[in-house]
Amino acid sequence: MGRCRVGIALFTSYLLRLNRNPHTPLIVLKLMRIQNRSVIKLLLAGVVAAYLPIHVSGQSSFKVVPTPPSHITGPSPNNTLFAVSASSSSDIWAVGQSAIHFDGTKWKAFQAPMISGENSGFLLGVADVSPTEAWAVGNASTTLTGQPAPVVEQWDGTKWSVFPVSSFNAPGESASLLLAITAISANDIWALGTGSMGNIGGNLFEHWDGITWTPTIVPLGGTPAAASADATDDVWAVGSSGLSSAQANAFVAHYNGAIWQSVASPNVGASAAFNGVAALAPNNVWAVGSFVKVTNGPTLTLIEHYDGSEWSVVPSPNVGPNSMFQSNRLFGITAVSSTDIWAFGSYFAASGDGSQKTLLLHWDGTAWSIARSPNPTKGDFLSDVLFAGVEASPGNVWIVGDETEFVQGAPSTGSLALHSTTASGSGSN
């Protein structure tokens, strides 16, 4: 199976974006203990980050590729893409409020059960195993009250269908959610979220062994937003934890082949959250997200690295911020190699009008810098966001998200796909 480094964003971050509230952490989570030495590292990194290079001269190596909408009718059809995965350069799936497939030549839209583009269902993760097998997870409203319920969908080479999974919360208990997925092989896949079993609530880890999905609840005190695996015994999940949305901390969990357990990582400022992770090797894992240095201040990019022993903050640049409104957020990350990594998201206008543009950062093995990236939205109000990426083959990178044209008669949000066949740092300086 082709390598898949997917950074998966939560649908809650999408809803926050619609509310034009860049200052609020993405998820309300539980507080996680950190070590004092981690805080010292973080403060030092913040000082260095102010002097990081911002290289945006020249043209971007990424180009916008046309994508079809899965949904074009309804009161407000949406086609946001939250996740992408590839088994090869001619077998790529991107899903969210839409489901589209790239066959090596063009993107084609497919219908996914329970996903109508009307904010009642979201696919938040996808794992492309082969042209005849792919998995997608998310949540859809199945009750009259609109309470979300987890959904697992399977692609069989012809169509998407809902795959039955074990019941993991009884009537009356808090709703379970599936928020991310990562595949090691066709018979070794993890779907992650939150849920409850009996009187135990916490992190939900669903494992596919090639025959059945088996759920496990582990109360680690956080909510995952993304997952990535380098091997059967090296699976990572990242997200947030905190007592309130204003006091969120970055959350990290690891599976060592036997158990899931939380891992300490640095935190910064008033609140912080991870949205994407890429596991390249047991001693080379990256996590990206954002943090708020002071209450009501702009959010700033947050990047941390695991060296096999501990997590540490790596300085990362921002656009501005030239005002409290100009927030920078990273939603995903994908790696070409250990010295060629892309992180992406969006940044808001300094004026505070709520408009935003794509944000693209590049790691060259030494430092992170801002790279030029396309913004296809036309008009005075821009809204382009990047959520997830994948390297489909060496140097062949796709990054997906959405664009909002605000044109009468058009879908509320359109799918967005950026592509580069020379994604080895070109265009980043």
Side-chain angles (χ1 to χ4, degrees):
M1 181 177 66
R3 185 173 59 178
C4 175
R5 308 295 187 193
V6 181
I8 305 170
L10 291 174
F11 73 93
T12 47
S13 67
Y14 169 74
L15 298 178
L16 286 175
R17 180 178 61 79
L18 289 182
N19 292 332
R20 308 299 175 196
N21 187 355
H23 314 301
T24 306
L26 303 182
I27 311 172
V28 179
L29 309 160
K30 294 185 179 179
L31 185 63
M32 181 170 134
R33 181 180 61 84
I34 62 173
Q35 300 175 353
N36 290 333
R37 61 182 181 180
S38 297
V39 176
I40 296 174
K41 289 182 183 178
L42 190 58
L43 295 176
L44 291 174
V47 174
V48 176
Y51 299 96
L52 281 178
I54 300 179
H55 296 157
V56 293
S57 61
Q59 295 184 344
S60 175
S61 64
F62 286 88
K63 306 298 181 184
V64 177
V65 176
T67 53
S70 292
H71 311 291
I72 58 176
T73 61
S76 57
N78 297 287
N79 293 275
T80 296
L81 300 173
F82 288 122
V84 62
S85 180
S87 71
S88 70
S89 59
S90 59
D91 180 34
I92 306 172
W93 278 103
V95 303
Q97 291 178 286
S98 183
I100 61 176
H101 180 264
F102 187 74
D103 62 5
T105 302
K106 65 182 184 301
W107 289 94
K108 180 181 178 180
F110 288 81
Q111 294 299 311
M114 306 174 72
I115 308 300
S116 62
E118 296 179 351
N119 294 332
S120 60
F122 304 82
L123 293 175
L124 303 176
V126 62
D128 191 350
V129 177
S130 73
T132 59
E133 182 180 359
W135 296 90
V137 300
N139 307 281
S141 175
T142 60
T143 66
L144 295 176
T145 60
Q147 186 179 37
V151 60
V152 175
E153 301 193 8
Q154 183 185 38
W155 170 259
D156 62 5
T158 302
K159 67 181 185 304
W160 285 97
S161 59
V162 174
F163 191 89
V165 295
S166 302
S167 175
F168 38 77
N169 50 304
E173 294 181 351
S174 59
S176 297
L177 296 172
L178 287 177
L179 306 170
I181 189 171
T182 185
I184 300 93
S185 66
N187 58 1
D188 190 2
I189 303 174
W190 286 96
L192 284 65
T194 61
S196 59
M197 276 187 174
N199 296 323
I200 301 176
N203 300 89
L204 171 63
F205 300 102
E206 287 262 350
H207 184 258
W208 172 255
D209 61 5
I211 300 176
T212 59
W213 285 96
T214 302
T216 302
I217 297 292
V218 184
L220 298 180
T223 300
S228 181
D230 183 67
T232 297
D233 58 355
D234 190 28
V235 187
W236 290 90
V238 300
S240 302
S241 64
L243 298 175
S244 71
S245 60
Q247 297 177 323
N249 290 320
F251 168 77
V252 179
H254 181 254
Y255 181 73
N256 62 9
I259 61 171
W260 281 94
Q261 54 191 345
S262 59
V263 180
S265 66
N267 282 283
V268 60
S271 64
F274 282 139
N275 300 312
V277 60
L280 283 69
N283 62 348
N284 190 7
V285 186
W286 291 89
V288 302
S290 61
F291 74 98
V292 180
K293 185 178 296 185
V294 295
T295 302
N296 296 324
T299 63
L300 303 172
T301 60
L302 174 62
I303 299 181
E304 296 188 19
H305 180 259
Y306 181 73
D307 62 3
S309 177
E310 62 181 352
W311 285 89
S312 60
V313 175
V314 179
S316 57
N318 294 270
V319 175
N322 297 315
S323 76
M324 63 177 290
F325 305 107
Q326 195 168 40
S327 290
N328 290 244
R329 302 172 300 169
L330 295 174
F331 290 123
I333 182 171
T334 189
V336 176
S337 70
S338 60
T339 59
D340 187 5
I341 304 174
W342 299 91
F344 36 83
S346 71
Y347 69 93
F348 283 81
S351 65
D353 66 0
S355 63
Q356 57 188 319
K357 296 181 179 180
T358 59
L359 176 63
L360 184 62
L361 305 188
H362 182 255
W363 171 259
D364 62 4
T366 302
W368 287 94
S369 61
I370 294 181
R372 190 176 295 278
S373 60
N375 286 279
T377 300
K378 303 175 181 64
D380 296 330
F381 187 89
L382 301 179
S383 185
D384 298 326
V385 187
L386 302 175
F387 283 112
V390 64
E391 186 197 22
S393 61
N396 181 10
V397 176
W398 288 90
I399 302 176
V400 302
D402 71 16
E403 58 171 317
T404 306
E405 298 285 359
F406 295 100
V407 176
Q408 187 173 4
S412 294
T413 61
S415 54
L416 172 61
L418 305 184
H419 182 227
S420 174
T421 57
T422 58
S424 57
S426 58
S428 64
N429 52 47

